[in-house]
Amino acid sequence: AQNGLVHEAIKHALAAQDYERVAGLVEQEARAMMFFGQTRTLQHWLAALPEASFQTHPRLHIYRLWIDLMQEKGDLSAQALQEKEAVLRALPPSPANEQLQVELMAVLCRFVAFSGDTERAIRLAEDVLGRVPEGETALSARAYSALAVAHWIAGNAEKARQAYDRCLPLARASDNLSLAAHASMMMAMSQVDYGQLHAAARTYQSIVAMGEGQKLFFPAGQGYIGLAGIHLEWHDLAQAEAYLQQGMALCRQGGLAGLSTGHALKARLHQAQGDLQAAAAELAQLGETGVDPTGTTRQILLSIAMGDLPEASRAAEPWLNGLDGHPASAQPPLLIWEIIQVTLARLFLAQGALARAQQLLDGVAETAVPGNRNGRLIEVYLLKTLISQKQNRETVTPQAQALFAQALALAEPEGYTLLFLEAGTAVVPLLQAVSNQLKTPASLKAYAQKL
């Protein structure tokens, strides 16, 4: 340890069961390890310590909590988050503890936002910003990251962009590449919501580029998984599979969040390849999907594809219960609520409950149109067209054709493909109608013919 070989020293101290020395050394290294995404090693060391070490070194308990939050483990309900906040505020006063308290409070903000209370998350993030000491660029970066996430899932793209633009240079300046990668991942996810697949691909690629020159840069895994999602939508299945393999291996090694998204994307890939059983096996590895609706959405859609509507309804049960008489305070934040409503609309469409599906999609359009969330609107317009097809016995009405042309016009510049292929043969007459329409622009005709 005196020679600066702290990781080697920790291994020897663990072998000697000198837990007090281990706790002191781990406390010394933990913050830097969180910065560089070395979460798995830190998690291993913390797991090797007896519980008594966490009483004498309360900061270690905070790092353990931090890792659980990053990996979306444990109870993430509103009450549990308040309890975690209370643990943070109970740290004994000291400059180091104040720093850690402010840092993790910013991490906690993200989950408060995902739990539905975006207003409180924004207040918390702003409070953190007000407490950051002068020159603490890493703390400022984390607070701006939390603020960006809260504004994003509340549906305020401009304020999210402003906070992200403040976060990224600060994170890079403080060498907190793990946070820079995470902030970029959140920005790319936002770009996908707004239908900007090419911009999102560039943002995900920038995460991979952050690790250039390093032997292993675990946060690059999140960039690769994001790129896999984009290439999957472009129906570039081989490239998507290669990116998933790279990304999931890095996230697994580094102990980073992203594996649940990876499993969900891999299930979609298997489905695109026509192997529904492999898709189901992939989803079985998901377990609890935490605050992210991606896993549940994929389970519902796969059950519909397999013709198992009772299983789809069972997976959707918590969301179905929330449709009627859902208290506003318990409702998920806007962007997650939009995803849930679109997924339930797909279920109702499969069940033949067309009026209920239409009603949900109308509601999503009301929030997505003023928010310019084109990624969501492409799906909404496509589903509304499919409802019209069912209502009119597969006849392509002028209204359905116009709505479908809107979906194509938003999708064509960004190369959306799999979304339309997953709709199956029902879209073929619609594609033909758009292609045969004289006033259809040449680029849109070519796109429709390709699909």
Side-chain angles (χ1 to χ4, degrees):
Q2 285 166 7
N3 284 294
L5 302 171
V6 181
H7 288 212
E8 290 299 315
I10 289 169
K11 286 179 191 173
H12 284 278
L14 278 172
Q17 297 185 355
D18 185 351
Y19 294 123
E20 181 54 33
R21 190 183 298 272
V22 172
L25 290 170
V26 170
E27 203 166 34
Q28 176 185 318
E29 290 291 290
R31 191 165 184 254
M33 293 178 76
M34 293 299 288
F35 275 23
F36 289 98
Q38 297 171 320
T39 317
R40 178 69 73 204
T41 304
L42 180 57
Q43 191 176 26
H44 169 72
W45 290 342
L46 292 173
L49 287 169
E51 206 56 38
S53 298
F54 294 91
Q55 305 305 317
T56 53
H57 296 265
R59 278 204 297 265
L60 293 182
H61 178 61
I62 303 301
Y63 283 113
R64 186 166 60 176
L65 174 61
W66 189 344
I67 291 169
D68 282 349
L69 284 172
M70 276 184 64
Q71 297 179 349
E72 297 181 8
K73 288 181 177 173
D75 187 354
L76 295 171
S77 65
Q79 184 183 338
L81 289 171
Q82 283 174 4
E83 287 167 7
K84 289 172 171 64
E85 190 181 331
V87 168
L88 270 179
R89 294 193 188 278
L91 272 177
S94 78
N97 283 353
E98 167 75 6
Q99 183 186 52
L100 187 57
Q101 190 184 66
V102 169
E103 195 145 32
L104 198 61
M105 201 69 82
V107 175
L108 203 61
C109 283
R110 175 184 168 218
F111 294 93
V112 172
F114 270 109
S115 73
D117 198 346
T118 48
E119 286 184 19
R120 183 163 163 268
I122 290 165
R123 283 198 306 273
L124 267 176
E126 287 172 344
D127 175 52
V128 167
L129 276 169
R131 292 170 59 190
V132 174
E134 188 70 35
E136 271 288 353
T137 51
L139 283 180
S140 296
R142 196 168 290 286
Y144 278 119
S145 169
L147 197 58
V149 170
H151 281 307
W152 164 47
I153 63 174
N156 193 325
E158 187 49 41
K159 286 189 176 178
R161 160 62 75 177
Q162 288 168 8
Y164 168 78
D165 286 344
R166 298 291 296 275
C167 165
L168 199 57
L170 289 168
R172 286 179 180 277
S174 63
D175 277 337
N176 192 340
L177 295 182
S178 183
L179 177 60
H182 184 268
S184 297
M185 179 182 74
M186 287 294 167
M187 188 63 208
M189 289 167 69
S190 170
Q191 287 166 328
V192 171
D193 280 328
Y194 291 87
Q196 299 161 357
L197 298 188
H198 293 293
R202 288 192 294 273
T203 307
Y204 282 127
Q205 194 64 56
S206 75
I207 299 173
V208 175
M210 286 177 198
E212 284 174 5
Q214 294 190 40
K215 189 179 176 184
L216 267 181
F217 181 60
F218 296 122
Q222 296 170 327
Y224 283 126
I225 288 172
L227 283 168
I230 304 288
H231 281 267
L232 189 52
E233 184 53 59
W234 287 338
H235 204 245
D236 183 0
L237 303 188
Q239 186 62 73
E241 192 162 14
Y243 279 143
L244 272 176
Q245 196 171 340
Q246 284 175 285
M248 292 176 78
L250 282 168
C251 285
R252 198 175 283 114
Q253 284 175 274
L256 300 178
L259 281 177
S260 60
T261 304
H263 284 304
L265 286 173
K266 213 168 174 186
R268 192 183 186 203
L269 172 67
H270 287 311
Q271 194 174 334
Q273 293 166 331
D275 192 343
L276 299 186
Q277 294 306 320
E282 198 64 44
L283 287 179
Q285 297 183 53
L286 258 175
E288 280 298 313
T289 56
V291 293
D292 186 349
T294 308
T296 304
T297 294
R298 189 49 43 197
Q299 284 168 339
I300 293 166
L301 297 186
L302 180 62
S303 297
I304 292 170
M306 297 174 93
D308 191 347
L309 295 185
E311 175 56 27
S313 297
R314 188 204 60 74
E317 193 173 347
W319 294 352
L320 289 166
N321 292 342
L323 274 183
D324 305 312
H326 209 356
S329 60
Q331 190 168 299
L334 178 61
L335 263 69
I336 290 177
W337 187 230
E338 284 182 354
I339 293 169
I340 289 171
Q341 289 179 96
V342 169
T343 306
L344 291 180
R346 284 183 176 275
L347 177 58
F348 291 145
L349 174 59
Q351 292 171 335
L354 304 183
R356 288 198 80 184
Q358 182 76 44
Q359 185 183 10
L360 281 179
L361 295 171
D362 287 344
V364 176
E366 278 178 23
T367 55
V369 169
N372 296 314
R373 280 184 289 285
N374 290 346
R376 191 89 66 245
L377 286 172
I378 293 166
E379 192 171 5
V380 167
Y381 294 155
L382 170 61
L383 292 175
K384 284 179 122 183
T385 309
L386 295 176
I387 290 170
S388 173
Q389 285 285 88
K390 281 203 170 188
Q391 287 171 331
N392 293 284
R393 299 181 182 179
E394 307 309 319
T395 303
V396 180
T397 65
Q399 293 87 347
Q401 189 177 325
L403 197 58
F404 189 68
Q406 264 185 285
L408 288 180
L410 291 175
E412 185 268 331
E414 299 293 335
Y416 280 84
T417 303
L418 191 54
L419 188 65
F420 293 96
L421 301 190
E422 286 170 333
T425 54
V427 297
V428 173
L430 292 156
L431 289 165
Q432 287 170 339
V434 169
S435 189
N436 294 334
Q437 177 70 256
L438 287 174
K439 64 181 180 183
T440 301
S443 60
L444 220 54
K445 279 190 180 185
Y447 181 52
Q449 284 159 7
K450 179 190 165 197
L451 287 171

